[in-house]
Amino acid sequence: MIRRAVRFLDSRSGAAPFLKATLRYLFPDHWSFLLGEVALYAFIVLVATGTYLTFFFHPSLADTVYHGTYAPLQGQKMSEAYKSVVDISFHVKAGLLIRQTHHWAANVFVAAIVLHLIRIFFTGAFRKPRELTYIIGILMLFATLLEGYAGYSMVDDLLSGMGLAIGYGVALSLPFVGGNLALLVWGAPYPGDPSFESRLFIAHVFILPVLIGTMIAVHLTLVASRHHTQFRKERRATNRKLIGVPTFPGQAPRSLGLMLGVAGLLFLLGGLIQINPIWLWGPYHLAEGTNGAQPDWYLGWLIGALRLVPHFDVTIGNYTLVPNPFWGGALFPLIVMGVLLAWPWLERRFTPQRGFHNLLDRPRDAPGRTAFGVAFLLWVFLIFFAGAADRIYLFLGWSYQEQIWIYRGLVWVLPVVAFFVTRSVCRELQSIEKVEAVREAAEAEAQAANA
């Protein structure tokens, strides 16, 4: 009966050759290739939980008064957006579980993309013919950061209000176009007109998810069309021959198990570990500028950059051409994105490798790339840690000003040191391998002579 049904479908769709090729598609057998799948499954959980939350969230900044069951907020004036999220957390069935799972999924989604990118960079998987796949991955990462920022900003709690105030300042700092751009997005000087919340909501639940989903689809299509890269674990694995496991029965059950595991872990985190308790932060009021809340970790590098840049503006006469927030809030992320996007062509410019690459490098195989990657990553991480200087002051009592000055020195010294140390280690490992190869060849020759 199944055979007849399959024959019926194939005779009317001609899908058999496509299904056959799909089932025989080979996947590399290495755990690091699963990082991209973790990101994909976290995105699916994000969409599913976000759809549920959309039914109960009110994207409105209209004033209302809270009369719910959470006593500390009784009688307080707040926006309908903030009140709806408090109600989701305390009154909607499974609301708190879904909201916290949604937030955890966002964190895991970004973390998986970053780890996937690190694997791609240090193994040279971005090289020809996969430059376009790599670029789409980079753009997807930055779109995801914007999506996360929009997500926690539209709640209208004290944390989101502070984040929006910083974002407004950065938008204003853009030379020549900043004022008009900020007015276009916010609709009026900060905190903006009431319709800003609706625009933020549409960007978060429609425009950015569609954009990210489209990039994921194009990314996966390019991966399938150019096929996966692979490590040289066996001699028969070459740039022309891929060794791996087929879609079925090898990869499909493994991937299905990973999807269930990711979803289960995210719901477990959402149910057991509290994240972003907005009822503790309170509703946003313009006069309140500080509290114990912190932005999500993936925005810490931007906060750190804003803190590290010394206080100076570029002015001409009485006209401020480039305000200070531009350097840390706009120029720094643009430099990071620009370097990542340009790297495939920079490496090709300075190395003789211009052909197709389906075999991955080990980090030691490319000392220059590995040294630069470690130095660049350390540079960004030091700036990221500078974003936590205020928390370190609160927890450990270390002077905030002294921390900032120390970080300003470290971000220039440590990456340079890391570059030369890493390159030396890679070259030393290569030398050791060459010696080992010569020794093994000599031993084999001696054994052959004795035989």
Side-chain angles (χ1 to χ4, degrees), residues 244-256:
V245 294
T247 302
F248 191 83
Q251 181 68 18
R254 180 188 300 181
S255 188
L256 181 62

Side-chain angles (χ1 to χ4, degrees), residues 35-377:
L35 290 170
E37 293 190 36
V38 171
L40 174 63
Y41 299 141
F43 180 73
I44 292 173
V45 173
L46 268 173
V47 172
T49 53
T51 301
Y52 183 80
L53 296 173
T54 305
F55 292 134
F56 307 100
F57 178 69
H58 297 170
S60 170
L61 295 179
D63 287 338
T64 186
V65 178
Y66 183 77
H67 296 293
T69 57
Y70 186 64
L73 292 177
Q74 277 289 346
Q76 284 198 33
K77 192 167 77 172
M78 58 188 64
S79 67
E80 289 187 357
Y82 179 79
K83 179 179 178 299
S84 68
V85 179
V86 174
D87 289 340
I88 288 173
S89 303
F90 293 123
H91 300 298
V92 174
K93 287 184 178 178
L96 183 59
L97 170 66
I98 299 297
R99 193 175 79 80
Q100 295 199 146
T101 301
H102 186 73
H103 207 131
W104 276 114
N107 283 308
V108 171
F109 182 50
V110 178
I113 293 178
V114 171
L115 292 174
H116 184 59
L117 172 62
I118 290 174
R119 198 274 292 173
I120 294 292
F121 183 90
F122 283 104
T123 58
F126 54 80
R127 293 174 295 177
K128 186 178 179 181
R130 297 179 180 81
E131 298 97 327
L132 187 56
T133 313
Y134 170 78
I135 286 174
I136 291 175
I138 297 291
L139 296 178
M140 186 165 58
L141 171 60
F142 280 82
T144 299
L145 297 180
L146 189 60
E147 169 73 337
Y149 174 74
Y152 82 70
S153 294
M154 66 183 191
V155 177
D156 200 37
D157 64 317
L158 192 53
L159 168 63
S160 63
M162 293 163 58
L164 285 173
I166 295 172
Y168 181 78
V170 172
L172 276 181
S173 72
L174 297 175
F176 304 113
V177 300
N180 291 328
L181 177 65
L183 194 61
L184 175 67
V185 175
W186 270 266
Y190 187 80
D193 63 25
S195 62
F196 170 69
E197 178 74 5
S198 299
R199 290 195 290 274
L200 195 62
F201 178 69
I202 291 172
H204 180 67
V205 304
F206 179 68
I207 297 175
L208 289 170
V210 169
L211 177 64
I212 294 171
T214 302
M215 285 194 284
I216 289 176
V218 175
H219 187 80
L220 293 177
T221 302
L222 288 173
V223 168
S225 65
R226 298 290 82 192
H227 225 294
H228 280 80
T229 53
Q230 62 179 335
F231 288 102
R232 190 197 290 273
K233 294 193 299 184
E234 303 177 31
R235 285 186 178 276
R236 55 197 180 109
T238 67
N239 272 321
R240 294 179 177 274
K241 186 175 182 180
L242 176 66
I243 306 298
V245 294
T247 302
F248 191 83
Q251 181 68 18
R254 180 188 300 181
S255 188
L256 181 62
L258 180 65
M259 181 178 70
L260 295 175
V262 169
L265 177 63
L266 290 175
F267 275 94
L268 201 62
L269 289 170
L272 298 178
I273 302 180
Q274 187 181 72
I275 186 169
N276 195 21
I278 61 156
W279 51 90
L280 298 181
W281 315 144
Y284 178 63
H285 295 294
L286 196 59
E288 297 182 30
T290 184
N291 69 343
Q294 288 284 292
D296 283 340
W297 65 271
Y298 48 80
L299 295 176
W301 61 305
L302 300 178
I303 300 297
L306 287 167
R307 289 175 175 171
L308 286 184
V309 176
H311 302 290
F312 73 95
D313 302 321
V314 176
T315 59
I316 300 177
N318 294 325
Y319 180 75
T320 302
L321 183 63
V322 185
N324 185 266
F326 171 78
W327 311 111
L331 183 61
F332 170 61
L334 286 175
I335 289 175
V336 173
M337 184 170 67
V339 169
L340 292 174
L341 290 175
W343 183 257
W345 289 271
L346 290 174
E347 179 168 311
R348 190 186 305 174
R349 173 71 177 79
F350 295 104
T351 63
Q353 301 179 0
R354 298 179 183 275
F356 281 62
H357 295 85
N358 296 322
L359 281 178
L360 296 174
D361 288 334
R362 298 172 303 171
R364 72 183 66 175
D365 297 330
R369 179 204 306 146
T370 302
F372 177 83
V374 170
F376 191 70
L377 200 60

